[in-house]
Amino acid sequence: MRKNVEFGTEDGTVLRGWWYAGEGSDSRPGIVMAHGFSATKEMFLDDFAELFHGAGFDVLVYDNRNLGESDSPLPGEIDPWQQVHDYRDAITWFSQQGGVDADRIGVWGSSYSGAHVLVVAAIDRRVRCVVSQVPLVTGLENARRLVRSDHWDGLRAAFDADRRARLAGEPPAMIPVAFENTPDEPCALPTQDTHDFFFGPIRERATTWRNEVTLRSVELFTEYEPQAYVPRISPTPLFMVVATGDVLTPCDLALSAYEKALEPKRLLTLPGGHFDAYVDEAFAVSGPAQLQWFTEHLLK
């Protein structure tokens, strides 16, 4: 059974999502899930959640703050560390719900949230198992892959100008997530497959998605280094999914981070690009493999 839920974070922001709840009085293992950079829960997270729920897990899926149906104290602001804190508040709330076994909680993330769950699993020992799909692992190096070298000085100047403006009381500068018409339009995620994903058929399902984030979100992206936490995840079991043709969170960066992880760990490589991981043949392979990992470490 899926029901709409909302819960408060430590600073009072209300996050909203779905709870796929089991039946009966027995305590069940739980999985906490959120989406990536600007994405909302309707962008295929229900497919993963239904798969996990059908195998006996309670699943909490929620929209990150400032996105989707959750509260937006700073609309379009994507602060990776705030999202890490919100994951931990989500775990706290979920663990206190009837029917959920607080000693058997796993976390799942993809893309930007795939980065967050690496950090959460390393610092929060309540997490018993983690699945990280096509994750960002190094903000600066990843950004250098996405932004032309001759554009960096201008981008840094824009960050500085935005900081001065905010200090003077002006609203944060905004930038599109994806280009809408041509690749030369300024945007946060300047790849063709990002455009194709966000402006494709998913728009019919994800009606709350907005093609706009704060420029500060991009600056925070460049400063975020979840790979530093990867060696600290052990002994929590880590499952990482990497797409070999990924140009948004490049495969080689993710593989390098995986090599730094200690056991227990498992790697699954998928053909195709970043967004292929959510659908069709890739989901048919990856979904059951992820379920097996959660089952091995949370159900048994």
Side-chain angles (χ1 to χ4, degrees):
M1 177 183 68
R2 188 178 93 178
K3 55 185 177 181
N4 295 329
V5 294
E6 61 179 43
F7 58 94
T9 61
E10 191 172 354
D11 68 356
T13 300
V14 175
L15 306 181
R16 297 180 178 85
W18 304 317
W19 178 6
Y20 291 78
E23 298 179 355
S25 58
D26 293 340
S27 292
R28 298 172 296 274
I31 300 171
V32 177
M33 305 175 59
H35 220 315
F37 194 92
S38 88
T40 61
K41 61 186 183 299
E42 292 82 8
M43 294 176 171
F44 301 114
L45 292 201
D46 47 345
D47 293 342
F48 287 90
E50 288 168 6
L51 177 66
F52 302 151
H53 178 58
F57 295 91
D58 275 32
V59 185
L60 174 64
V61 183
Y62 67 93
D63 280 327
N64 288 304
R65 68 171 61 211
N66 303 320
L67 303 170
E69 295 180 330
S70 290
D71 279 0
S72 295
L74 291 171
E77 178 90 334
I78 301 176
D79 182 334
W81 284 105
Q82 183 62 68
Q83 291 184 349
V84 165
H85 296 323
D86 289 346
Y87 253 105
R88 302 184 75 181
D89 287 344
I91 292 169
T92 299
W93 179 83
F94 199 38
S95 299
Q96 295 174 331
Q97 304 311 301
V100 177
D101 187 345
D103 292 325
R104 292 187 292 163
I105 297 293
V107 292
W108 182 100
S110 187
S111 194
Y112 215 36
S113 67
H116 303 340
V117 295
L118 297 175
V119 177
V120 172
I123 64 179
D124 195 327
R125 289 303 166 194
R126 296 175 299 172
V127 174
R128 301 299 185 182
C129 183
V130 54
V131 171
S132 175
Q133 176 176 275
V134 292
L136 172 101
V137 294
T138 166
L140 182 59
E141 182 60 27
N142 207 125
R144 290 191 181 280
R145 302 286 185 95
L146 296 174
V147 180
R148 281 174 36 182
S149 60
D150 58 333
H151 288 179
W152 266 96
D153 286 347
L155 183 60
R156 294 289 189 192
F159 292 161
D160 294 341
D162 180 47
R163 187 176 297 278
R164 291 192 298 270
R166 297 196 315 266
L167 191 60
E170 297 181 22
M174 308 298 290
I175 187 172
V177 177
F179 68 81
E180 190 163 354
N181 298 303
T182 62
D184 58 351
E185 297 169 10
C187 61
L189 305 178
T191 68
Q192 182 66 48
D193 60 348
T194 301
H195 162 86
D196 295 345
F197 178 77
F198 285 119
F199 289 100
I202 196 65
R203 290 294 296 274
E204 297 180 3
R205 299 175 59 183
T207 57
T208 60
W209 179 77
R210 298 291 179 266
N211 188 32
E212 188 176 58
V213 295
T214 63
L215 183 61
R216 176 169 47 188
S217 300
V218 179
E219 183 176 19
L220 292 169
F221 180 108
T222 68
E223 298 169 354
Y224 190 36
E225 296 295 328
Q227 65 178 351
Y229 289 82
V230 169
R232 295 168 50 184
I233 294 172
S234 179
T236 301
L238 165 66
F239 188 97
M240 186 180 289
V241 180
V242 177
T244 57
D246 197 331
V247 296
L248 185 59
T249 56
C251 174
D252 64 301
L253 299 180
L255 292 177
S256 178
Y258 177 80
E259 289 302 314
K260 299 174 184 176
L262 305 178
E263 298 289 348
K265 64 179 181 178
R266 187 175 300 166
L267 174 69
L268 174 65
T269 57
L270 300 171
H274 187 84
F275 297 99
D276 294 326
Y278 299 98
V279 296
D280 300 333
E281 292 86 354
F283 175 77
V285 171
S286 181
Q290 294 177 29
L291 173 59
Q292 180 183 9
W293 190 250
F294 281 129
T295 299
E296 179 180 346
H297 295 287
L298 296 179
L299 268 181
K300 295 182 179 180

